[in-house]
């Protein structure tokens, strides 16, 4: 049958891991990837994880500074299906590699452009390191108060790069789907900034509503806890055990929290009337009293003893805090083939990340070792001479309502990870119908107004069905007959009990792409255990890294434990959910691509542990002599003297100087002749050896001007130095002109929020993007969808009366 992407040729002129991860996944699923390198090779080949993002590819070395080199590349591109680059817009124009130019000779070409800030606007030619993008977009302010200092904090896990690479893959696969119908390729654009859009679940909407309704938002404890020094919720509490280790709890829903309370032997609290009802109804005094009881009880057993209890129970979300290197030995990671062991001819015994997702009928295969620079020059050059350019088979060049126009997605999922993945598909033009339980997705009731639910469900339709009733299952089965993709996040066994398992639904729709999303994966010891976002954050190593050198240490007193748990809670932010969402969208589109090219449907498995391994792929590899993951300092300034935060005379900047050429230009622009001439700082290696001294010099230098002045001096010249605290995330997305210039927000109207801006497309397509709508109420389209399925008005009224379906009443802010 072959792999999903066999016989597709990809020309990759990108440098570094963002484009590299994009094409690694394409290669893992069968594409022929030709990496075009300068004669000296990709300058990022020295990164410890380069064996991951170079694997399975061919390498051709071309000097693009010469006319002959440019002509050689253009001939190669004429034979390609997909072209990928990550140069800044100005550089692309100078190289003569614009989409318009390449498509003229290869109209079927799918051209993927990956940038830092987008291809237009004030920041288009700014430095494109993730730290620069994160600082400018307000993300670093999210990490304030983890360290004992004022100001923003460095975000360790490179989530923007992870999401950007996944969006690039999704964009390419979506464009391939459109090409099946139109015969023509198109320009696909995404950026690290658009990747970071996935991690803003509340800030954009909240900023707008807070300005309109300040009193309603002033006393919202849920949002305050995410953005201040408040202690974590009891559901998501990090806890210290008897032996000084830490465990992360993730019992978001009431029944999971009740399971936890029972497992640690504190059920007597429910005899106390103060603990009747929902947690939100408890007094602060009662809540803090229970917090103390929990933290003290957890110190009565070791980490191993508590984890044995929690695993044996099966209904408790909990995992130990570990590093990424430790996670390589996690039994669920190993059982689900998220780590592969092999012998590398130069590096020796090697462990590296496995396939992105498990496709049951068209599985991928991890490629061979990374190629040497120019290893395939002769073979590719000879083949180009003989291979004729692709023929133009264009049949339809009309604009589409998104590349996934005509596809229908059924989402049977709650909270964030899977629903946000489905929302990405909606952004790309698919019709996404969210099937909610009676009363709606519980996420709608978390926090003031369910703002996060507003974000992850934007652009969908909603029908609320009782899937435990015969009529409810009948409705869903009728929907399945019209469905291309189904996404659910039930634990194994639950879909079968509800009559919605793969075997049953594929009998109705044989070409169904059935995506199962869970916490630990289908094949390991944790397959049936619950998981919420803090679990993979702790278990895969992102949270430990975010703590920097201030990572959790044994605490002697209850107050110390509380303070450390607060810091851990802030460090273990919500990124594991969107990290998973980006992979969910990619996996679903791999399934659609397989269906289009192989004429089959199939079951696909995605899990939070595996997805977050990819988000931490900079360190999800091990071999003798591998450099350790660079430590973030205890005060969360950054990774070293030339990649860190600095305080200025007014405000903070983030500085990113990685290459020697950037250092030299920085010294010239700042008139720092003494620095430029000092041999202790003349090379990247020397700057690292003399880091402490250099930090002191740069701290003094940056105090000479305001943050805004430093950005104006340096960033406009392509040097990585931007303000890091002038706008919060909400202010950036709401007010920044660059956001508007790139159409990253769009105005919509919903029943509860009225007219407001929501995030626009994370990927832009020259063939047309989908129209955008607001977030539906739970069950808002129930009557419309039932009518489409052939139910009469009388039938619909009966279903509502019998509570087989349900429709939420509007509750607008006013």
């Amino acid at each position: 049958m072959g792999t999903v992407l066999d016989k597709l040729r990809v020309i990759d002129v990108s440098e570094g891991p963002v484009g590299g991860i994009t094409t690694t996944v394409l290669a893992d699923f069968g594409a022929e990837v030709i990496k075009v390198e300068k004669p000296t090779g990709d300058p990022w080949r020295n990164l410890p994880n380069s064996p991951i993002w170079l694997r399975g590819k061919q390498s051709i070395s071309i000097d693009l500074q010469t006319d002959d080199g440019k002509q050689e590349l253009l001939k190669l591109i004429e034979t390609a299906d997909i072209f990928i680059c990550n140069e800044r817009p100005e550089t692309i124009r100078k190289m003569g590699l614009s989409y318009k130019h390449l498509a003229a000779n290869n109209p079927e070409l799918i051209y993927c452009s990956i940038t830092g800030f987008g291809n237009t606007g004030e920041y288009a030619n700014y430095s494109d390191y993730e730290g620069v993008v994160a600082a400018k977009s307000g993300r670093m302010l999210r990490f304030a108060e983890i360290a004992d200092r004022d100001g923003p904090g460095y975000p360790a896990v490179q989530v923007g790069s992870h999401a950007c690479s996944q969006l690039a893959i999704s964009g390419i696969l979506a464009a391939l789907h459109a090409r099946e119908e139109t015969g023509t390729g198109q320009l696909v654009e995404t950026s690290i900034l658009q990747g970071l859009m996935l991690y803003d679940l509340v800030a954009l909407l909240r900023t707008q509503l807070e300005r309109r309704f300040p009193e309603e938002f002033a006393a919202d404890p849920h949002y305050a806890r995410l953005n201040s020094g408040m202690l974590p919720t009891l559901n998501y509490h990090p806890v210290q055990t008897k032996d000084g280790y830490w465990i992360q709890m993730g019992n978001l829903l009431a029944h999971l929290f009740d399971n936890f309370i029972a497992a640690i032997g504190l059920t007597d609290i429910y005899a106390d009337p103060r603990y009747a009802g929902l947690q939100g109804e408890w007094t602060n005094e009662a809540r803090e009293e229970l917090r103390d009881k929990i933290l003290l009880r957890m110190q009565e057993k070791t980490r191993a003893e508590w984890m044995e209890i929690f695993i044996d129970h099966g209904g408790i979300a909990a995992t130990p805090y570990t590093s990424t290197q430790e996670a390589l030995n996690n039994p669920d990671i190993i059982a689900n083939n998220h780590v592969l062991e092999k012998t590398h001819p130069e590096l020796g015994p090697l462990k590296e990340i496995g396939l992105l997702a498990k496709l049951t009928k068209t599985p991928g295969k991890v490629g061979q070792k990374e190629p040497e620079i120019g290893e395939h020059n002769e073979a590719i050059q000879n083949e180009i001479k003989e291979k004729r350019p692709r023929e133009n088979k264009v049949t339809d060049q009309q604009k589409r309502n998104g590349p996934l126009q005509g596809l229908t997605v059924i989402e049977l999922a709650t909270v964030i990870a899977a629903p946000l993945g489905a929302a990405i598909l909606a952004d790309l033009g698919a019709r996404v119908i969210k099937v909610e339980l009676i009363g709606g997705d519980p996420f709608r009731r978390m926090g003031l107004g369910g703002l996060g639910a507003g974000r992850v469900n934007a652009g969908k339709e909603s029908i609320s069905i009782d899937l435990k009733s015969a009529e409810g299952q009948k409705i869903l089965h009728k929907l399945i007959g019209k469905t291309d993709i189904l996404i659910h996040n039930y634990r194994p066994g639950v879909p079968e009990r509800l009559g919605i398992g793969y075997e049953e639904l594929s009998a109705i729709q044989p070409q169904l792409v059935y995506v199962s999303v869970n916490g630990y994966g289908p094949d390991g010891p944790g397959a049936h255990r619950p998981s919420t976002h803090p679990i993979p954050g702790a278990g895969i190593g992102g949270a430990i890294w975010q703590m920097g050198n201030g990572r959790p240490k044994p605490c002697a007193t209850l107050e110390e434990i509380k303070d450390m748990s607060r810091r851990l809670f802030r460090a273990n932010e919500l990124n594991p959910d969107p990290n998973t969402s980006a992979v969910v969208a990619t996996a679903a589109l791999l399934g659609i691509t397989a269906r289009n090219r192989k004429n089959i449907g199939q079951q696909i498995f995605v899990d939070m542990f595996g997805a977050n391994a990819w988000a931490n792929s900079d360190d999800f590899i091990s071999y003798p002599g591998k450099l350790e993951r660079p430590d973030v300092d205890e005060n969360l300034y950054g990774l070293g003297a030339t990649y860190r935060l600095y305080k200025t005379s007014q405000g903070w900047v983030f500085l990113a100087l990685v290459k020697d050429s950037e250092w030299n230009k920085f010294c010239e622009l700042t008139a720092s002749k003494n620095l430029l001439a000092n041999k202790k700082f003349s090379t990247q290696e020397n700057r690292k050896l003399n880091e402490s001294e250099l930090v002191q010099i740069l701290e003094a230098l940056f105090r000479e001007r305001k943050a805004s002045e430093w950005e104006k001096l340096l960033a406009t010249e392509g040097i990585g130095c931007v303000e890091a605290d002038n706008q919060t995330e909400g202010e950036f997305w709401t007010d920044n002109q660059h956001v508007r210039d790139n159409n990253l927000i769009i105005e919509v109207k919903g029943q509860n929020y009225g007219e407001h801006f929501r995030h626009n497309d994370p990927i832009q397509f020259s063939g047309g993007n989908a129209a955008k709508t607001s977030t539906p109420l739970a069950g808002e389209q129930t009557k419309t969808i039932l009518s489409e399925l052939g139910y009469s008005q009388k039938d619909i009224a009966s279903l509502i009366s019998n509570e087989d379906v349900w429709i939420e009443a509007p509750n607008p802010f006013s």
Side-chain angles (χ1 to χ4, degrees):
M1 183 173 290
T3 51
V4 179
L5 303 175
D6 57 5
K7 300 180 182 179
L8 291 177
R9 170 170 280 187
V10 181
I11 306 302
D12 179 6
V13 301
S14 71
E15 293 183 339
V18 179
I21 291 293
T22 301
T23 50
T24 285
V25 174
L26 298 179
D28 282 351
F29 285 94
E32 176 197 18
V33 176
I34 299 174
K35 181 172 178 60
V36 179
E37 305 187 69
K38 59 184 67 172
T40 53
D42 188 319
W44 304 105
R45 273 181 170 260
N46 63 342
L47 290 178
N49 72 332
S50 63
I52 294 175
W53 53 265
L54 289 171
R55 74 189 185 196
K57 303 174 184 178
Q58 301 175 58
S59 171
I60 181 171
S61 173
I62 300 178
D63 186 355
L64 295 179
Q65 301 302 313
T66 67
D67 289 339
D68 287 346
K70 290 178 182 177
Q71 288 304 311
E72 184 178 358
L73 176 60
L74 291 174
K75 288 180 182 178
L76 183 58
I77 294 171
E78 287 180 4
T79 71
D81 296 278
I82 300 159
F83 173 77
I84 297 175
C85 66
N86 67 345
E87 292 287 354
R88 299 177 199 174
E90 183 180 353
T91 305
I92 286 294
R93 286 192 290 271
K94 290 179 180 178
M95 293 172 68
L97 293 176
S98 69
Y99 169 67
K100 183 178 180 181
H101 182 69
L102 299 187
N105 294 318
N106 184 357
E108 293 183 47
L109 184 69
I110 293 167
Y111 182 121
C112 180
S113 168
I114 299 171
T115 58
F117 284 94
N119 280 313
T120 191
E122 182 181 356
Y123 314 141
N125 289 301
Y126 272 24
S127 170
D128 56 5
Y129 297 121
E130 174 156 345
V132 175
V133 183
K136 192 62 192 171
S137 61
R139 177 167 168 76
M140 290 190 177
L141 288 172
R142 185 184 294 189
F143 297 91
E145 301 180 359
I146 297 176
D148 286 326
R149 65 169 178 83
D150 65 341
Y154 176 74
V157 182
Q158 303 296 282
V159 297
S161 297
H162 166 69
C164 180
S165 66
Q166 295 303 314
L167 291 171
I169 303 164
S170 290
I172 289 166
L173 297 177
L176 279 172
H177 174 73
R179 195 176 79 173
E180 288 286 326
E181 299 185 15
T182 67
T184 186
Q186 60 181 300
L187 174 62
V188 178
E189 299 174 282
T190 192
S191 64
I192 293 175
L193 181 61
Q194 285 165 288
L196 289 176
M197 283 167 49
L198 298 186
Y199 300 86
D200 172 26
L201 296 184
V202 297
L204 170 61
L205 182 55
R206 181 186 168 89
T207 297
Q208 298 171 76
L209 295 177
E210 189 174 30
R211 291 172 179 177
R212 286 158 54 188
F213 311 109
E215 292 183 5
E216 286 87 341
F217 283 79
D220 174 17
H222 178 80
Y223 191 82
R225 189 171 285 109
L226 295 176
N227 291 275
S228 77
M230 291 180 69
L231 287 166
T233 67
L234 298 182
N235 310 69
Y236 276 176
H237 221 296
V239 293
Q240 181 179 270
T241 58
K242 183 179 180 179
D243 47 357
Y245 291 108
W246 287 79
I247 293 175
Q248 174 66 56
M249 311 311 302
N251 300 296
L252 177 64
L253 301 178
H255 72 280
L256 297 179
F257 184 72
D258 290 342
N259 292 343
F260 167 64
I261 290 296
I264 65 174
L266 290 179
T267 52
D268 59 312
I269 66 164
Y270 295 125
D272 187 333
R274 294 181 303 162
Y275 299 106
L278 300 174
Q279 278 193 41
E281 299 168 354
W282 298 351
T283 65
N284 286 335
E285 180 184 17
R287 186 178 296 107
E288 293 311 308
E289 186 176 314
L290 180 55
R291 186 192 309 275
D292 290 352
K293 287 183 178 182
I294 290 171
L295 295 178
L296 291 171
R297 179 58 57 89
M298 290 302 298
Q299 292 186 81
E300 294 179 7
K301 298 181 187 295
T302 66
R303 176 178 66 177
E305 290 170 335
W306 279 124
M307 286 308 302
E308 183 178 2
I309 291 170
F310 296 151
I311 291 171
D312 286 346
H313 185 284
I316 297 167
T319 201
Y321 278 86
T322 60
S323 70
T324 303
Q325 289 295 296
E326 290 171 321
L328 286 165
N329 298 311
N330 181 290
D332 285 290
I333 285 287
I334 293 170
N336 287 284
N337 296 313
H338 292 314
V339 61
L340 301 179
E341 296 188 46
K342 59 186 179 183
T343 300
H344 191 284
E346 287 86 35
L347 300 175
L350 180 143
K351 294 181 180 180
E352 66 175 330
I353 198 165
L355 296 171
L356 185 77
K358 180 180 179 180
L359 277 64
T360 54
K361 293 185 180 178
T362 56
K365 182 180 179 181
V366 170
Q368 297 300 310
K369 69 172 285 292
E370 69 279 13
E372 299 297 328
I373 300 166
E375 180 179 336
H376 303 92
N377 273 29
E378 184 177 353
I380 293 172
Q381 288 165 350
N382 289 336
E383 191 254 3
I384 292 174
K385 293 176 184 177
E386 300 175 3
K387 191 163 186 174
R388 300 176 64 182
R390 298 177 61 85
E391 295 180 11
N392 179 8
K393 299 178 182 178
V394 176
T395 59
D396 178 9
Q397 291 186 320
Q398 292 183 353
K399 293 280 185 177
R400 293 164 59 86
N401 187 27
L404 301 186
Q405 173 186 320
L407 288 183
T408 298
V409 179
I410 297 298
E411 176 209 309
L412 287 155
T414 57
V415 195
I416 299 172
L420 183 56
I424 295 171
L425 301 180
D427 283 342
L428 273 56
R431 181 189 188 189
V432 178
I433 299 174
K434 184 178 180 71
V435 178
E436 306 191 50
L437 50 110
I438 302 298
D441 184 335
F443 195 41
R444 292 179 178 272
R445 300 185 291 278
M446 297 176 189
L448 184 59
L451 300 187
R455 169 72 176 96
V456 305
N457 293 318
K460 302 175 184 177
E461 301 172 40
S462 173
I463 180 171
S464 184
I465 306 173
D466 181 3
L467 290 177
K468 294 181 181 179
S469 74
E471 285 298 328
Q473 292 180 13
K474 183 179 178 182
I475 294 168
L476 183 62
H477 287 175
K478 286 188 175 183
L479 273 173
I480 292 301
K482 302 175 181 292
T483 296
D484 301 284
I485 300 169
L486 181 140
I487 299 172
H488 77 78
N489 65 350
Y490 292 112
R491 282 187 267 171
V494 175
E496 288 73 18
R497 290 198 297 271
L498 293 173
I500 55 173
Y502 173 68
E503 296 300 330
E504 186 165 359
L505 297 188
S506 63
I508 300 170
Q509 168 57 291
Q511 291 197 319
L512 181 66
V513 175
Y514 184 99
V515 184
S516 173
V517 186
N518 80 342
Y520 294 87
D523 298 323
H528 293 271
R529 295 180 63 208
S531 178
T532 48
H533 82 259
I535 299 303
I540 294 298
I544 287 284
W545 194 31
Q546 183 61 63
M547 286 291 288
N549 287 330
R551 60 192 50 150
K553 306 177 180 73
C555 298
T557 68
L558 191 58
E559 289 308 309
E560 289 177 356
I561 291 173
K562 287 181 182 179
D563 184 61
M564 186 59 71
S565 70
R566 176 188 66 80
R567 296 171 191 271
L568 270 173
F569 176 71
R570 295 297 304 279
N572 195 5
E573 58 141 1
L574 57 76
N575 75 63
D577 268 333
N579 288 343
T580 307
S581 306
V583 174
V584 169
T586 299
L589 290 173
L590 282 168
I592 285 295
T593 307
R595 190 193 69 172
N596 291 343
R597 305 188 78 228
K598 311 295 180 181
N599 197 33
I600 56 166
Q602 63 185 303
Q603 189 170 18
I604 297 174
F605 293 96
V606 173
D607 62 83
M608 297 182 75
F609 267 50
N612 279 276
W614 278 89
N616 287 272
S617 63
D618 63 294
D619 197 42
F620 216 78
I621 185 171
S622 176
Y623 50 86
K626 173 188 168 291
L627 294 176
E628 293 185 6
R629 200 177 203 179
D631 263 335
V632 182
D633 64 276
E634 186 169 357
N635 287 311
L636 297 192
Y637 288 115
L639 300 180
T642 56
Y643 203 84
R644 60 160 275 173
L645 287 153
Y646 285 97
K647 195 170 187 177
T648 71
S649 64
Q650 183 177 316
W652 290 78
V653 293
F654 182 79
L655 178 70
L657 307 173
V658 179
K659 302 174 183 176
D660 288 341
S661 59
E662 294 168 341
W663 169 257
N664 295 338
K665 189 171 183 179
F666 169 81
C667 291
E668 292 170 3
L669 291 170
T670 59
S672 302
K673 295 181 180 179
N674 293 338
L675 274 180
L676 188 60
N678 194 326
K679 292 185 178 180
K680 288 193 292 186
F681 310 127
S682 60
T683 66
Q684 184 179 6
E685 182 179 359
N686 288 348
R687 290 189 289 277
K688 188 67 178 177
L689 290 172
N690 298 283
E691 190 166 83
S692 297
E693 182 180 352
L694 183 55
V695 165
Q696 292 181 9
I697 293 170
L698 293 178
E699 282 179 334
L701 175 65
F702 279 110
R703 290 194 195 101
E704 295 176 3
R705 302 189 189 198
K706 298 177 182 178
S708 57
E709 294 171 342
W710 285 117
E711 179 175 329
K712 185 176 181 181
L713 174 68
L714 298 171
T716 55
E717 296 295 326
I719 294 298
C721 184
V722 295
E723 292 182 88
D725 66 339
N726 66 315
Q727 286 184 311
T728 64
E729 286 177 291
E731 291 166 341
F732 176 81
W733 294 116
T734 305
D735 302 329
N736 193 283
Q737 186 59 45
H738 182 84
V739 170
R740 295 176 184 271
D741 289 343
N742 283 273
N743 298 313
L744 299 185
I745 59 172
I746 187 169
E747 191 168 24
V748 294
K749 186 175 183 179
Q751 291 203 54
N752 281 352
Y753 302 134
E755 293 182 352
H756 63 281
F757 286 96
R758 53 155 285 190
H759 286 290
N760 203 353
D761 296 292
I763 314 165
Q764 292 157 332
F765 299 89
S766 62
N769 281 68
K772 297 295 178 286
T773 58
S774 184
T775 303
L777 302 176
E780 183 173 334
Q781 286 77 31
T782 295
K783 293 181 179 179
T784 302
I785 294 169
L786 289 174
S787 294
E788 290 179 16
L789 296 176
Y791 288 87
S792 68
Q793 294 302 311
K794 182 179 179 181
D795 294 335
I796 295 171
S798 177
L799 289 168
I800 294 173
S801 176
N802 293 333
E803 297 184 349
D804 292 309
V805 299
W806 177 80
I807 301 171
E808 179 184 6
N811 184 27
F813 282 89
S814 58

